[in-house]
Amino acid sequence: MVEKREKSWQAGPLRIRVTLPGDEPAGPKERLTVDRIVDAAMSLMAEKGYDAVSMRSLAKELGTGPASLYAHVASKEEVDQLVLDRIGAELHVPAPDADHWDEQLRQVLRDMLALYRRHPGSARAAIGMIPTGMGALRTMEGMLAICDAGGISPQASAWFCDLAAAYVSAIAVEEAIWVQRDNTTASGDDPDHTALDEQLRALMESLPAAEFPLVTSRAGVMTAGDGDDRFEFGVAVLVAGLAAVSEKYR
Amino acid sequence: MVEKREKSWQAGPLRIRVTLPGDEPAGPKERLTVDRIVDAAMSLMAEKGYDAVSMRSLAKELGTGPASLYAHVASKEEVDQLVLDRIGAELHVPAPDADHWDEQLRQVLRDMLALYRRHPGSARAAIGMIPTGMGALRTMEGMLAICDAGGISPQASAWFCDLAAAYVSAIAVEEAIWVQRDNTTASGDDPDHTALDEQLRALMESLPAAEFPLVTSRAGVMTAGDGDDRFEFGVAVLVAGLAAVSEKYR
DNA sequence: ACCTGAACACCGTTCAAGT
DNA sequence: ACCTGAACACCGTTCAAGT
């Protein structure tokens, strides 16, 4: 009834896999591999969000039962870890330039957020995960090199890698959760979360001015800016703060 | 078969509820209220971790079925929100002191983390949640006042509230996830996650030195310090960074 | 208005049995 | 070695029915 509908081949270092539209249930005779499981997890995540990725939905996508996956991965958590490792390998940190170390560092953080955005749902998998994939380690190496070029102390550089990763993934998770809510609530109408900002602003303005003089009078500035504006502020604070405290952590 | 085994009464502003040991299934005649649901969620979370809190376990704790909860709350998410609102009310921000605004701000962030730690599992509920409870709003008001005393621009102050909340809750979630893992893996032996640090350090040192000169040579400093040391660094970076960039966001 | 039992449509993981 | 069906012990939420 179902023939081989999926094609995959190796072309040098690239693994190419093509699935024609309407081929969702996939060929059941294709051998299960860790790579195929990770592929399926990433495409399912991108298409339907993190919550749609389960051992069962993954198995269905691959034309098998959930128990079969456990011959290749130990747990759902391992699948998440593998997805993150694969994504992490996409980030490339430039060679350090001492004159622009701070801008380079800010750019790495922007690229990290862009990576999560490019793979919707991936941020949710990153919650509480310590990244130990080769990609993440290479990113660390690159960040340390840039910090060195900027004269940042080794201890401050080391802890900054953690701090930056925690901040970026926190922002990415927050965004991922709105996006998911927007997708399930409003039926693809318009993706502005400005409605939510407007609501929050109204809430702040409606507070008793005597008890909340600042929140009420600054409701506008509190809800100002989009995600990028706020992230850019965060990135600026982090890098400026690093420069400022570096000496204290020598 | 089961009599009223739970006692609760009002004593001034305090709500006191005593459940004798062995009374877990609770009296089934006590009327269900939102407050009782939130009480149950908080104690279940503290005792058995966030994952143990479900609409079903909550119902069992309250001596009823899961469907009954929906007469008082709309969803599990609302329960989480209510728990967070209650916890948020515990934080108190001091009146601003212009000479020590930066130390005051750092202390608020420390207190925020302490709050999550005092209610284990609560951090997990905070993921992707925009805090709109009265407690959170009062905390914002207090932080804005301290920033004002420090001469920070309104825009920088406003965005800093967000940034700080995101950072602290990211750290709290990370900690909550170790704790949960430690509790389920090692059977209450010793709660040092230093073993994990040691493992990470070994991994870094085992990397090829040619490709990872900094990660390998600085594995020690990368895994140095406990949670408090690293958090203190983060807090120092954030507040110093705020002071540094404030003028750019006037 | 509040509560209930039963059901719906899901989870992750295990395990004996097959090939 | 790899895969499978069936089961175990769970989820959140809905809804008609009761009081």
Side-chain angles (χ1 to χ4, degrees):
Chain A
M1 181 201 175
V2 184
E3 281 119 34
K4 216 177 173 186
R5 297 205 174 173
E6 200 183 77
K7 308 190 177 219
S8 76
W9 63 91
Q10 290 272 341
L14 260 53
R15 194 185 339 80
I16 296 175
R17 186 180 313 283
V18 172
T19 307
L20 272 22
D23 277 1
E24 299 310 322
K29 290 274 86 80
E30 188 110 32
R31 255 172 139 293
L32 219 46
T33 61
V34 176
D35 262 356
R36 286 190 66 219
I37 293 171
V38 176
D39 288 343
M42 285 181 64
S43 71
L44 206 54
M45 216 162 66
E47 277 169 46
K48 305 201 187 152
Y50 180 78
D51 288 331
V53 182
S54 68
M55 294 305 267
R56 298 173 112 99
S57 63
L58 227 38
K60 190 170 285 179
E61 197 82 354
L62 293 162
T64 183
S68 302
L69 304 178
Y70 288 87
H72 300 91
V73 294
S75 61
K76 168 108 205 296
E77 204 190 322
E78 188 178 322
V79 176
D80 284 348
Q81 184 75 255
L82 290 167
V83 166
L84 252 14
D85 286 352
R86 187 119 116 209
I87 289 174
E90 287 179 29
L91 192 70
H92 295 289
V93 179
D97 170 358
D99 292 339
H100 306 289
W101 73 274
D102 54 340
E103 174 54 19
Q104 283 189 310
L105 218 46
R106 284 191 294 267
Q107 191 58 44
V108 172
L109 303 205
R110 286 180 206 118
D111 290 346
M112 281 173 67
L113 184 61
L115 200 60
Y116 285 125
R117 285 174 172 171
R118 197 155 61 240
H119 298 283
S122 65
R124 292 276 303 277
I127 291 174
M129 217 77 117
I130 301 161
T132 53
M134 275 303 167
L137 290 165
R138 239 184 287 274
T139 301
M140 267 191 181
E141 180 72 25
M143 285 179 71
L144 291 178
I146 294 173
C147 289
D148 268 23
I152 303 301
S153 71
Q155 185 61 83
S157 305
W159 284 346
F160 185 78
C161 290
D162 261 22
L163 170 54
Y167 174 61
V168 175
S169 69
I171 296 302
V173 169
E174 221 167 89
E175 286 191 4
I177 286 172
W178 304 338
V179 169
Q180 190 115 330
R181 272 208 257 277
D182 282 2
N183 284 1
T184 51
T185 307
S187 50
D189 206 347
D190 65 324
D192 66 335
H193 78 287
T194 43
L196 209 144
D197 272 348
E198 215 49 60
Q199 224 178 306
L200 195 57
R201 186 193 164 126
L203 169 70
M204 288 174 172
E205 283 171 343
S206 74
L207 257 26
E211 204 183 348
F212 296 97
L214 298 171
V215 173
T216 49
S217 66
R218 297 204 192 141
V221 88
M222 302 255 352
T223 55
D226 61 15
D228 285 319
D229 294 331
R230 298 162 100 93
F231 183 70
E232 199 53 44
F233 171 77
V235 159
V237 168
L238 257 54
V239 175
L242 172 64
V245 308
S246 168
E247 284 309 308
K248 272 189 238 156
Y249 290 87
R250 183 158 297 277
Chain B
M1 182 199 175
V2 185
E3 280 117 35
K4 217 175 171 189
R5 298 202 172 175
E6 202 183 76
K7 308 192 178 219
S8 76
W9 64 91
Q10 291 272 342
L14 261 52
R15 195 185 338 83
I16 297 174
R17 186 179 314 283
V18 173
T19 306
L20 271 24
D23 278 0
E24 298 311 323
K29 292 273 85 79
E30 187 109 33
R31 257 173 137 291
L32 218 47
T33 61
V34 175
D35 262 355
R36 286 190 65 218
I37 293 171
V38 176
D39 287 344
M42 286 181 63
S43 72
L44 206 53
M45 215 161 66
E47 277 169 45
K48 304 201 185 149
Y50 180 77
D51 288 332
V53 183
S54 68
M55 294 305 267
R56 297 174 111 100
S57 64
L58 227 39
K60 191 170 285 176
E61 196 82 354
L62 293 162
T64 183
S68 302
L69 304 178
Y70 289 87
H72 300 91
V73 294
S75 62
K76 169 108 203 298
E77 206 189 321
E78 188 178 323
V79 176
D80 284 348
Q81 185 74 255
L82 290 166
V83 166
L84 252 13
D85 286 352
R86 186 118 116 209
I87 290 174
E90 288 180 29
L91 192 70
H92 294 290
V93 178
D97 168 359
D99 292 340
H100 306 288
W101 72 275
D102 54 340
E103 175 53 19
Q104 283 190 309
L105 217 45
R106 284 191 294 267
Q107 191 57 45
V108 172
L109 303 204
R110 286 181 207 116
D111 290 346
M112 281 173 67
L113 183 62
L115 200 59
Y116 284 125
R117 286 174 172 170
R118 197 154 62 239
H119 299 282
S122 65
R124 293 275 304 278
I127 291 175
M129 218 77 118
I130 302 161
T132 52
M134 274 304 167
L137 289 166
R138 239 183 288 273
T139 302
M140 267 193 182
E141 180 72 24
M143 286 179 71
L144 291 178
I146 295 174
C147 289
D148 267 23
I152 304 300
S153 71
Q155 185 63 82
S157 306
W159 284 346
F160 185 78
C161 290
D162 261 21
L163 170 55
Y167 173 61
V168 175
S169 70
I171 297 302
V173 168
E174 222 168 87
E175 286 191 4
I177 287 173
W178 303 338
V179 169
Q180 189 115 332
R181 272 209 257 279
D182 282 2
N183 284 2
T184 51
T185 308
S187 49
D189 208 346
D190 62 326
D192 65 335
H193 78 286
T194 43
L196 209 146
D197 271 348
E198 215 49 62
Q199 223 177 308
L200 195 58
R201 186 191 164 127
L203 168 71
M204 288 175 172
E205 282 170 342
S206 73
L207 257 24
E211 204 183 348
F212 295 97
L214 298 171
V215 173
T216 49
S217 66
R218 298 205 191 140
V221 86
M222 302 253 354
T223 55
D226 60 15
D228 285 320
D229 295 331
R230 298 162 100 92
F231 182 70
E232 198 53 45
F233 171 77
V235 159
V237 167
L238 257 51
V239 175
L242 172 64
V245 308
S246 168
E247 284 308 310
K248 272 189 238 156
Y249 290 86
R250 182 158 298 278

